[in-house]
Amino acid sequence: MNEYIDLKRSFIDYSHSSDPEAVAQQSYVNLTFGTDTNLYWDKLLESKYIIVLGEAGSGKSWEFNAQCERLKSSGKFAFSLRLEDLVEGQLSNVIDASDEPKFHNWLNSEESATFFLDSVDEAKLKSPTALHIALNHFVKGIGQHLISRINIVISSRISEWRNSTDSAEVMHRFNIPRDNNDTNLTLKTVLLAPLNEAQLHQLAEAKGIIDSNGFINAVTNQSALQFASRPLDADLLIQYWQDNHQIGNRQELLEHSIPHKLSEREERKSHALLPLNKARSGTETMAAAAILCKKFNILVPDTDINHHSESLNIKVLLPNWSAQEQNALLNLPIFDGATYGNIRFHHRTTTEYLCACWLQERMQNQLPYPDLKDILFMHVHNRWVIRPAMLSISTWLATLGENPWNKCIRKFLLEHNPESFLQYGEPRNLKLNDLKQLLHSLITQYNGRQDVRLATEIYQLLALAQPDLADELTTIIQDELISDDIRIKIIQAIKHGKLIQCNDALLNLINSDDSDYIKRYATTALSELANKQQLEKLHLIAQQYSEIPSLLCADFCEALYPKIINPEEFLSLIEKVAPHEDKSSIDIPYYLEQLFKNNDIPNTHYAPLLNGFIRLCQKEPHIKEGNKSSTISSEFVWAGETLLQVLIIILSQATVNKTLYPQISKALILLNAINRCHLSHRVDKELLELNQRLLRDCKLNCVSAYH
């Protein structure tokens, strides 16, 4: 990651008053990934004293250098320094030669300057008191009398930041008050937020991926977003795509990323103490301890907090390792921050996988199977059951190989816990007969139950999307005695796995007396999988309905319009929306709005759409206004929201057809009437904006004249 790519990174408030566990969870989110925090560099740099925390590979140094250059280019004084250089040298020797003239200009000016000090963790590799030494050299080099004219931004890995002692050191050196009415003058601590999907998309394009949409879709389909929340992670995922032209299964991605995350970056190679095999062994031990002890936080050595019993202690777990080796391990990118004084594995999936690998190695080194059984199972009411906390580990072990213990665990899970393969492990390692048994056991286990609520990911479901399983899958989805929850999961597997062999079965579902819930999922799947002939069959089925539930109607419209049906046929489907539904809760306008946004609707369609929705909004019976009858349909009052969307699209066109002026005026009058008589489907704000636009836009003045 040499050339800077502006991803518009955001930050999460990491103040000591925050719930640290809640903040930590935000650093683990998947690319769904990344809620907008609304705290970006421009806003952050309004603060005078800033600590930026982030795990290894999060892009701290990358961002520091870029922001320093940005401030320079805007005419401000800004300097980027490495704290580890300040540990060994005076400020005058650390300032880059190209910055020396600007530094002296600043010293002789009365302006402020921003110093980016990167990074505490690398400085501490030289000395435990590195921060004290580096800041002492920095302040002496600046001069105490100029401290009021500097802004500082300091970076650190979370594992190396001691909140009480390090924050106190910074506050002491720069005379920062603990409390101030102006929060920009207090010490602000933030966490560099994980990447979101838009940032991953941008990064992929910048890295030369031509089909970035295909890459993002592949990442999403493989549930691999969790492997791309940091630039380091994203870079590895992009590299895997470029090397293999696909996104591998979960185990392949883990085995691709783990070695990289157990190696320091090139600029830190001089500090590397651990060969890869030792680092792997150590992390597997830490992962096994985290799972078996049910403690996912790892105490940072020599931390200044007292909750020792709540965290794992690396000194206890790896007693034969030197303090330097222990520290080097915890600084590897496979870990990130959890709370102050604690770190944890970056991904829970990684922890579980490494724990399973640790157990696999124990077995290969002659651990007796009864001992493994005691770890994974417990005896309850005269039968063996999987310990709940070990279900994910057991599932990984069941899919890690063909050793006798792998087969025994796999056989037990397929018979007694088939749903585990739809939640954990690597189900793509299962053979066809295993998958058939999984389906059979799943149906048998939940026989007679409708409320199943399987917690699954699309990734796991895709293991079932095998052409050789198409017959079994079509049988399951058409069996009304099987739980809707299970059938819906199978339909999702068919959809995301693109099993077009099941399309006829999906059509049969929609044409049956099955639940509307099932029909909706079947329609959504057909929308993506069906060919033209099958979509025409879907239209014929929809036409046979005398009434259509509103959301099912929205799904029909999304599947058919505009690729199969014309505006009149589309309006005919809309007119079938069940009249008995609660009009205040109808969501179809939202779905129709998305349909218009996401499809290339021909301009010639909007005139009949405008006329059609005007007609629907006025269809009898009408709403009464007091003792008088209005002209607003009581059944289709909700259609006013869609009428407004059509109107906005028409008026956004470069040229508005003059023959539509009377209908546009009629639509505006109708929308105002709907606002007066129906609170649930008011469009006040949108209508006001539209009216103001009509008055502002000279080319539409004549339309306003009709209104």
Side-chain angles (χ1 to χ4, degrees):
M1 297 181 64
N2 299 321
E3 184 180 349
Y4 177 71
I5 302 165
D6 185 7
L7 299 176
K8 295 181 172 53
R9 300 297 297 276
S10 60
F11 301 87
I12 299 168
D13 186 3
Y14 204 62
S15 63
H16 192 58
S17 60
S18 301
D19 176 359
E21 197 64 27
V23 173
Q25 290 306 314
Q26 293 187 67
S27 71
Y28 306 140
V29 294
N30 53 56
L31 281 179
T32 302
F33 156 27
T35 302
D36 192 347
T37 65
N38 294 318
L39 180 58
Y40 299 93
W41 273 113
D42 287 346
K43 178 68 176 176
L44 181 64
L45 290 176
E46 292 176 5
S47 295
K48 191 172 177 66
Y49 311 106
I50 304 162
I51 307 297
V52 176
L53 302 179
E55 64 272 23
S58 59
K60 302 182 299 298
S61 300
W62 215 34
E63 290 293 323
F64 267 39
N65 292 333
Q67 292 306 316
C68 183
E69 292 301 317
R70 184 178 67 83
L71 291 178
K72 287 179 182 178
S73 65
S74 65
K76 297 178 181 179
F77 288 108
F79 307 93
S80 181
L81 309 173
R82 296 189 65 80
L83 281 169
E84 63 176 314
D85 295 336
L86 280 167
V87 173
E88 298 179 341
Q90 302 301 316
L91 178 61
S92 58
N93 297 325
V94 173
I95 290 283
D96 190 272
S98 63
D99 281 336
E100 283 186 11
K102 295 176 184 176
F103 181 66
H104 290 297
N105 288 342
W106 171 71
L107 289 174
N108 296 321
S109 75
E110 296 184 356
E111 296 183 38
S112 63
T114 300
F115 289 85
F116 293 86
L117 307 180
D118 185 37
S119 63
V120 171
D121 49 281
E122 296 189 16
K124 285 185 177 181
L125 288 171
K126 292 180 177 289
S127 166
T129 59
L131 183 61
H132 170 83
I133 298 170
L135 293 183
N136 187 48
H137 287 167
F138 177 75
V139 171
K140 281 185 177 180
I142 294 292
Q144 194 67 42
H145 64 293
L146 294 180
I147 290 298
S148 61
R149 284 208 283 123
I150 67 170
N151 306 321
I152 59 164
V153 191
I154 299 175
S155 76
S156 176
R157 291 186 183 181
I158 306 173
S159 61
E160 289 298 330
W161 185 253
R162 310 292 184 266
N163 184 53
S164 58
T165 56
D166 289 348
S167 294
E169 180 71 35
V170 173
M171 293 172 70
H172 169 69
R173 289 292 172 184
F174 298 104
N175 303 321
I176 305 171
R178 286 193 175 275
D179 298 303
N180 195 304
N181 291 333
D182 186 351
T183 56
N184 286 335
L185 297 179
T186 60
L187 185 62
K188 189 176 189 67
T189 305
V190 296
L191 176 74
L192 190 56
L195 299 179
N196 58 38
E197 186 172 327
Q199 289 166 329
L200 178 60
H201 197 288
Q202 181 184 351
L203 189 60
E205 289 185 338
K207 291 288 181 178
I209 292 182
I210 298 174
D211 183 14
S212 56
N213 288 328
F215 168 71
I216 294 294
N217 289 337
V219 169
T220 303
N221 289 338
Q222 292 286 62
S223 294
L225 292 174
Q226 63 173 305
F227 297 108
S229 61
R230 305 176 295 182
L232 172 67
D233 301 324
D235 220 28
L236 292 174
L237 202 60
I238 289 167
Q239 179 187 326
Y240 190 98
W241 172 270
Q242 290 173 326
D243 291 344
N244 300 281
H245 308 292
Q246 63 178 5
I247 298 298
N249 66 34
R250 185 161 292 173
Q251 185 179 359
E252 290 168 342
L253 290 177
L254 284 166
E255 285 298 342
H256 174 76
S257 65
I258 287 172
H260 289 277
K261 293 174 184 177
L262 293 179
S263 304
E264 281 290 7
R265 302 188 314 275
E266 193 62 38
E267 60 266 30
R268 291 176 59 105
K269 288 289 187 182
S270 60
H271 304 304
L273 298 168
L274 297 174
L276 180 59
N277 61 343
K278 187 166 187 176
R280 175 71 182 246
S281 174
T283 53
E284 287 183 3
T285 299
M286 300 299 292
I291 296 294
L292 296 174
C293 299
K294 301 179 184 177
K295 293 181 178 181
F296 293 94
N297 288 347
I298 303 167
L299 190 69
V300 174
D302 304 318
T303 187
D304 52 356
I305 64 172
N306 298 316
H307 306 301
H308 290 212
S309 62
E310 299 175 6
S311 304
L312 296 172
N313 190 330
I314 192 171
K315 294 180 179 180
V316 174
L317 295 171
L318 300 174
N320 297 324
W321 288 35
S322 69
Q324 281 184 309
E325 288 175 323
Q326 293 169 355
N327 189 60
L329 180 69
L330 295 184
N331 270 287
L332 292 173
I334 202 164
F335 299 103
D336 69 7
T339 63
Y340 288 120
N342 290 280
I343 62 172
R344 63 166 63 191
F345 282 95
H346 186 62
H347 297 302
R348 177 64 178 264
T349 302
T350 304
T351 315
E352 294 167 346
Y353 177 68
L354 288 171
C355 177
C357 291
W358 183 85
L359 286 171
Q360 181 86 339
E361 185 176 354
R362 303 284 83 72
M363 293 301 295
Q364 289 169 342
N365 291 332
Q366 308 306 313
L367 177 72
Y369 181 72
D371 290 354
L372 177 65
K373 192 172 182 179
D374 284 341
I375 293 172
L376 302 180
F377 296 82
M378 58 184 179
H379 207 240
V380 179
H381 301 307
N382 296 318
R383 67 189 185 97
W384 289 100
V385 297
I386 293 283
R387 297 180 188 274
M390 299 303 293
L391 183 59
S392 61
I393 311 303
S394 301
T395 311
W396 268 115
L397 275 171
T399 57
L400 279 185
E402 294 299 322
N403 298 292
W405 61 87
N406 301 122
K407 292 179 179 179
C408 287
I409 298 169
R410 183 162 66 239
K411 183 175 184 295
F412 183 93
L413 290 175
L414 285 170
E415 290 177 359
H416 303 285
N417 299 87
E419 72 285 352
S420 68
F421 293 102
L422 301 181
Q423 297 173 290
Y424 309 112
E426 184 46 84
R428 313 237 180 136
N429 289 345
L430 294 176
K431 297 177 180 177
L432 183 62
N433 286 336
D434 292 331
L435 293 171
K436 288 183 178 181
Q437 185 179 351
L438 190 161
L439 288 169
H440 174 75
S441 297
L442 195 65
I443 302 307
T444 302
Q445 180 168 313
Y446 293 105
N447 183 39
R449 289 175 54 182
Q450 273 298 321
D451 189 11
V452 174
R453 299 186 184 182
L454 288 175
T456 64
E457 293 184 15
I458 295 301
Y459 174 82
Q460 257 84 9
L461 289 174
L462 282 171
L464 299 174
Q466 307 286 340
D468 290 337
L469 285 176
D471 290 343
E472 284 82 357
L473 299 181
T474 55
T475 299
I476 291 172
I477 65 175
Q478 294 180 95
D479 189 343
E480 294 185 35
L481 296 178
I482 296 174
S483 162
D484 281 3
D485 292 342
I486 291 177
R487 291 197 291 155
I488 285 169
K489 296 298 183 185
I490 301 302
I491 292 172
Q492 289 178 309
I494 291 169
K495 172 187 171 183
H496 292 283
K498 304 188 186 309
L499 278 186
I500 59 175
Q501 299 93 326
C502 301
N503 284 1
D504 287 339
L506 293 171
L507 283 168
N508 292 339
L509 272 181
I510 300 167
N511 199 29
S512 70
D513 294 328
D514 220 313
S515 70
D516 294 331
Y517 199 44
I518 288 286
K519 291 179 181 180
R520 287 201 63 205
Y521 277 92
T523 303
T524 303
L526 280 172
S527 180
E528 294 193 16
L529 304 180
N531 57 33
K532 182 178 179 182
Q533 183 179 9
Q534 290 165 335
L535 287 176
E536 287 172 347
K537 287 183 180 179
L538 177 63
H539 183 214
L540 289 174
I541 293 170
Q543 285 179 304
Q544 293 172 10
Y545 280 76
S546 56
E547 294 179 3
I548 308 176
S550 62
L551 293 181
L552 180 58
C553 184
D555 293 329
F556 283 156
C557 291
E558 184 178 357
L560 299 171
Y561 183 73
K563 50 190 171 185
I564 296 297
I565 59 177
N566 60 38
E568 288 75 18
E569 291 168 324
F570 167 70
L571 289 162
S572 177
L573 289 180
I574 297 293
E575 201 163 355
K576 291 177 180 286
V577 168
H580 59 274
E581 286 192 48
D582 180 3
K583 301 302 180 293
S584 65
S585 63
I586 286 182
D587 289 330
I588 191 171
Y590 168 78
Y591 291 95
L592 295 181
E593 179 183 352
Q594 299 307 307
L595 188 153
F596 292 141
K597 285 182 179 179
N598 298 330
N599 288 277
D600 186 15
I601 310 293
N603 286 340
T604 54
H605 283 205
Y606 285 108
L609 288 174
L610 179 65
N611 289 327
F613 279 105
I614 289 174
R615 178 179 61 80
L616 287 177
C617 287
Q618 294 181 307
K619 185 177 179 181
E620 293 182 343
H622 294 151
I623 293 174
K624 287 189 176 181
E625 293 185 90
N627 295 326
K628 297 181 180 179
S629 180
S630 70
T631 60
I632 307 302
S633 172
S634 60
E635 293 181 6
F636 292 96
V637 61
W638 57 264
E641 295 180 52
T642 307
L643 173 61
L644 177 64
Q645 293 302 319
V646 171
L647 194 57
I648 289 172
I649 294 170
I650 290 173
L651 295 177
S652 299
Q653 294 174 357
T655 303
V656 178
N657 190 333
K658 292 183 179 180
T659 61
L660 292 179
Y661 288 173
Q663 292 300 88
I664 293 173
S665 178
K666 187 174 183 179
L668 289 167
I669 294 170
L670 192 56
L671 289 169
N672 279 303
I674 290 173
N675 267 359
R676 286 197 310 271
C677 67
H678 205 280
L679 295 177
S680 298
H681 292 280
R682 294 176 65 87
V683 287
D684 305 68
K685 180 181 177 182
E686 296 88 345
L687 193 57
L688 177 62
E689 291 175 353
L690 190 59
N691 280 325
Q692 290 174 341
R693 183 175 170 220
L694 285 168
L695 294 173
R696 287 196 308 268
D697 199 327
C698 59
K699 78 174 184 283
L700 299 176
N701 279 342
C702 47
V703 177
S704 299
Y706 280 93
H707 176 37

